[in-house]
Amino acid sequence: MRSGLIVAGLVLVAIGCVFTVQGLGYLAGSPMTGVTLWAIVGPILAVVGIVLIVGAVRRGRSG
């Protein structure tokens, strides 16, 4: 379970980074490019991913 949460967190961080870069217009070739919504959603997803990773690591230490 712990490794699954870490993997899910890493995936969310990666997706969040891609969404952010696309939303800011630095990664072209998508309908998401230059759309402010994705520049906002991306960091939110990345933070959720970081919270999952930190929670999984802390859970592993205490268990």
Side-chain angles (χ1 to χ4, degrees):
M1 172 109 174
R2 179 178 165 231
S3 60
L5 288 174
I6 292 172
V7 169
L10 290 172
V11 169
L12 282 175
V13 169
I15 291 171
C17 289
V18 170
F19 282 9
T20 302
V21 172
Q22 283 184 326
L24 293 174
Y26 296 120
L27 186 60
S30 167
M32 295 167 49
T33 301
V35 179
T36 306
L37 172 69
W38 300 111
I40 295 168
V41 172
I44 293 170
L45 285 177
V47 168
V48 170
I50 291 169
V51 168
L52 277 177
I53 293 167
V54 169
V57 169
R58 285 187 179 175
R59 182 179 188 162
R61 287 183 184 168
S62 65

